[in-house]
């Protein structure tokens, strides 16, 4: 029972964060929200007892956040008026 | 970018402390991947993070630029292929570790074969992560492939 409640909370957080990440206008906020989404994905994989997938997701979350921030900085340098 | 521009002390000290730990943890993940979560891909991405963290600093060293990264990715894939081909010279099939000549017992050859495969995967993933980061980020003269 406790496990089901925990999973339900984690899935609700995943859905809310996913909708926020794709609907927010600022790009940097979207990157940070995607990092949070990835973290909750890690927690739900752990709750589903798949530690290997959780580890991969954690590592990929870190690297993809670094990628997104770099691409965002490059985009900001090219078009400084939008995306502040 | 100006040459005398300085990073914040937090980034400098944090990266200096983090990078050795990340490298050690990556090797632990690679070598202990048989018994615990982890393996070649995760270790490769961790090593790649250790290589791309200094690039976020303005005064950091840039290891593995451009062509070197692509070459290293190819070398990792080639190492995988080479290890996979070894059993074929001893009458087995591709990636059939049991007939490898390192130990007499075929059961002992399996972990060694898988570990060597994972080393190839690690090298390839590390170089690919660095190469993708370079192609996204700022262009310098030595980055042209």
């Amino acid at each position: 029972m406790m496990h089901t409640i925990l999973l339900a909370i984690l899935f609700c957080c995943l859905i809310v964060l996913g909708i926020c990440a794709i609907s927010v206008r600022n790009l940097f906020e979207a990157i940070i929200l995607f990092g949070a989404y990835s973290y909750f994905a890690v927690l739900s994989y752990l709750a589903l007892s798949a530690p290997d997938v959780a580890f991969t997701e954690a590592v990929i979350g870190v690297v993809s956040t670094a990628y997104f921030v770099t691409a965002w900085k490059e985009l900001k340098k090219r078009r400084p008026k939008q995306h502040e | 970018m100006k040459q005398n521009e300085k990073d914040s002390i937090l980034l400098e000290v944090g990266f200096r402390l983090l990078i050795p730990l990340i490298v050690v943890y990556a090797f632990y993940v690679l070598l202990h991947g048989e018994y615990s979560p982890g393996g070649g891909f995760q270790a490769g991405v961790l090593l790649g993070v250790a290589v791309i963290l200094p690039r976020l600093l303005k005064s950091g060293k840039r290891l593995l630029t451009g062509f070197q990264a692509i070459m290293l990715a190819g070398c990792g894939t080639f190492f995988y292929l080479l290890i996979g081909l070894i059993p074929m010279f001893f009458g087995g099939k591709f990636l059939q570790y049991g007939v490898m000549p390192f130990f007499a017992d075929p059961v002992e050859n399996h972990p060694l074969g898988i570990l060597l495969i994972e080393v190839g995967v690690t090298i390839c993933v590390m170089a690919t992560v660095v190469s993708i980061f370079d192609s996204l980020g700022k262009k310098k003269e030595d980055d042209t492939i």
Side-chain angles (χ1 to χ4, degrees), chain A residues 51-52 55-56 59-60 63 66-67 70-71 74 77, chain B residues 25 29 37-38 42 45 49 129 132-133 136-138:
Chain A
D52 213 345
F55 191 16
T56 311
V59 165
I60 287 298
V63 175
Y67 285 169
T70 317
E74 192 66 21
K77 213 183 291 171
Chain B
Y25 186 58
V29 165
Q42 287 93 332
V45 178
V49 168
V129 163
I132 294 174
F133 185 84
L136 284 174
K138 47 188 175 291

Side-chain angles (χ1 to χ4, degrees), chain A residues 34-35 37-43 45-46 50-68, chain B residues 21-23 25-30 37-53 121-122 125-126 129-130 132-133:
Chain A
F34 184 74
Y37 173 85
S38 149
Y39 180 72
F40 276 101
V42 170
L43 286 185
Y45 288 140
L46 274 181
D52 213 345
V53 187
F55 191 16
T56 311
E57 174 68 35
V59 165
I60 287 298
V62 170
V63 175
S64 68
T65 308
Y67 285 169
F68 289 146
Chain B
L21 287 178
I22 291 176
V23 172
Y25 186 58
F27 277 102
Y28 167 74
V29 165
L30 172 63
F41 184 80
Q42 287 93 332
V45 178
L46 282 171
L47 278 178
V49 168
V51 175
I52 66 177
L53 274 187
V121 173
T122 305
V125 169
M126 178 190 84
V129 163
V130 174
I132 294 174
F133 185 84

Side-chain angles (χ1 to χ4, degrees), chain B residues 7-17 56-58:
Chain B
D7 297 299
S8 75
I9 188 97
L10 206 66
L11 275 180
E12 285 242 19
V13 176
F15 284 1
R16 209 163 285 167
L17 288 177
L56 302 175
L57 292 175
K58 291 177 185 98

